Coordinates of all heavy atoms in Angstrom, one line a residue:
V13 N 3.1 263.5 107.7 CA 4.2 263.1 108.4 C 5.6 263.3 107.6 O 6.5 264.0 108.0 CB 4.2 261.6 108.8 CG1 5.6 261.2 109.6 CG2 3.1 261.4 109.8
C14 N 5.5 262.7 106.4 CA 6.8 262.8 105.6 C 6.3 262.5 104.0 O 5.9 261.4 103.8 CB 7.6 261.7 106.0 SG 9.2 261.5 104.8
P15 N 6.4 263.5 103.2 CA 6.1 263.3 101.8 C 6.8 262.1 101.1 O 6.2 261.5 100.3 CB 6.4 264.6 101.1 CG 6.2 265.6 102.2 CD 6.7 264.9 103.5
R16 N 8.0 261.9 101.6 CA 8.8 260.8 101.0 C 8.3 259.4 101.4 O 8.1 258.6 100.4 CB 10.2 260.9 101.5 CG 11.2 259.8 101.0 CD 12.6 260.0 101.6 NE 13.5 258.9 101.0 CZ 14.2 259.1 100.1 NH1 14.2 260.2 99.3 NH2 15.0 258.2 99.6
P155 N 12.9 264.3 98.8 CA 14.1 264.1 99.5 C 13.8 263.7 101.1 O 12.6 263.8 101.4 CB 14.8 265.5 99.5 CG 13.6 266.5 99.3 CD 12.7 265.7 98.4
V156 N 14.8 263.3 101.7 CA 14.7 262.7 103.1 C 14.4 264.2 103.9 O 15.0 265.1 103.5 CB 16.0 262.2 103.5 CG1 15.9 262.0 105.0 CG2 16.3 261.0 102.8
I157 N 13.6 264.1 104.9 CA 13.1 265.2 105.7 C 14.1 265.5 106.9 O 14.2 266.5 107.4 CB 11.7 265.2 106.2 CG1 11.6 263.9 107.1 CG2 10.8 265.1 105.0 CD1 10.2 263.9 107.8
K158 N 14.8 264.5 107.2 CA 15.9 264.6 108.4 C 15.2 265.3 109.6 O 15.5 266.2 110.1 CB 17.1 265.4 107.8 CG 17.8 264.8 106.8 CD 19.1 265.5 106.4 CE 19.8 264.8 105.2 NZ 21.1 265.3 104.9
S159 N 14.4 264.4 110.1 CA 13.6 264.7 111.2 C 13.8 263.7 112.4 O 14.2 262.6 112.1 CB 12.0 264.8 111.0 OG 11.3 264.9 112.1
K160 N 13.5 264.2 113.7 CA 13.6 263.2 114.8 C 12.7 261.9 114.6 O 13.1 260.8 115.0 CB 13.3 263.8 116.1 CG 14.3 264.8 116.6 CD 13.9 265.2 118.0 CE 13.4 266.7 118.0 NZ 13.0 267.2 119.2
I161 N 11.6 262.2 114.0 CA 10.7 261.1 113.6 C 11.2 259.9 112.8 O 10.7 258.9 112.9 CB 9.2 261.5 113.2 CG1 8.2 260.6 113.3 CG2 9.4 262.0 111.7 CD1 7.6 260.5 114.7
C162 N 12.3 260.3 112.0 CA 12.7 259.2 111.1 C 13.4 258.1 111.8 O 13.2 257.0 111.3 CB 13.9 260.0 110.3 SG 13.2 261.2 109.1
R163 N 13.9 258.1 112.9 CA 14.5 257.0 113.7 C 13.5 256.0 113.9 O 13.8 254.9 114.0 CB 15.2 257.5 114.9 CG 16.5 258.5 114.7 CD 17.6 257.8 115.4 NE 18.7 258.8 115.0 CZ 19.6 258.4 114.2 NH1 19.6 257.2 113.7 NH2 20.7 259.3 114.0
F168 N 13.4 254.0 107.6 CA 14.6 254.6 108.0 C 15.8 254.0 107.3 O 16.6 254.8 106.6 CB 14.8 254.5 109.5 CG 16.1 255.1 110.0 CD1 16.3 256.5 110.2 CD2 17.2 254.3 110.1 CE1 17.3 257.0 110.5 CE2 18.4 254.9 110.6 CZ 18.5 256.3 110.9
C171 N 15.8 255.1 103.5 CA 16.0 256.5 103.4 C 17.5 256.8 103.7 O 18.0 257.8 103.1 CB 15.1 257.4 104.1 SG 13.4 257.2 103.6
Y172 N 18.1 256.2 104.7 CA 19.4 256.7 105.2 C 20.4 255.7 104.7 O 21.5 255.8 105.5 CB 19.3 256.9 106.7 CG 18.5 258.1 107.0 CD1 17.1 258.1 107.2 CD2 19.2 259.4 107.1 CE1 16.4 259.2 107.6 CE2 18.4 260.6 107.4 CZ 17.1 260.4 107.6 OH 16.4 261.6 108.0
E175 N 24.0 257.0 104.4 CA 24.4 257.8 105.6 C 24.8 256.9 106.7 O 25.2 257.4 107.8 CB 23.5 258.8 105.9 CG 23.2 259.8 104.8 CD 22.3 260.9 105.2 OE1 22.1 261.2 106.5 OE2 21.7 261.5 104.4

Side-chain angles (χ1 to χ4, degrees):
V13 175
C14 173
R16 181 182 181 91
V156 174
I157 63 170
K158 297 186 180 183
S159 171
K160 286 188 256 180
I161 196 78
C162 294
R163 293 234 179 254
F168 179 79
C171 290
Y172 289 90
E175 297 182 28

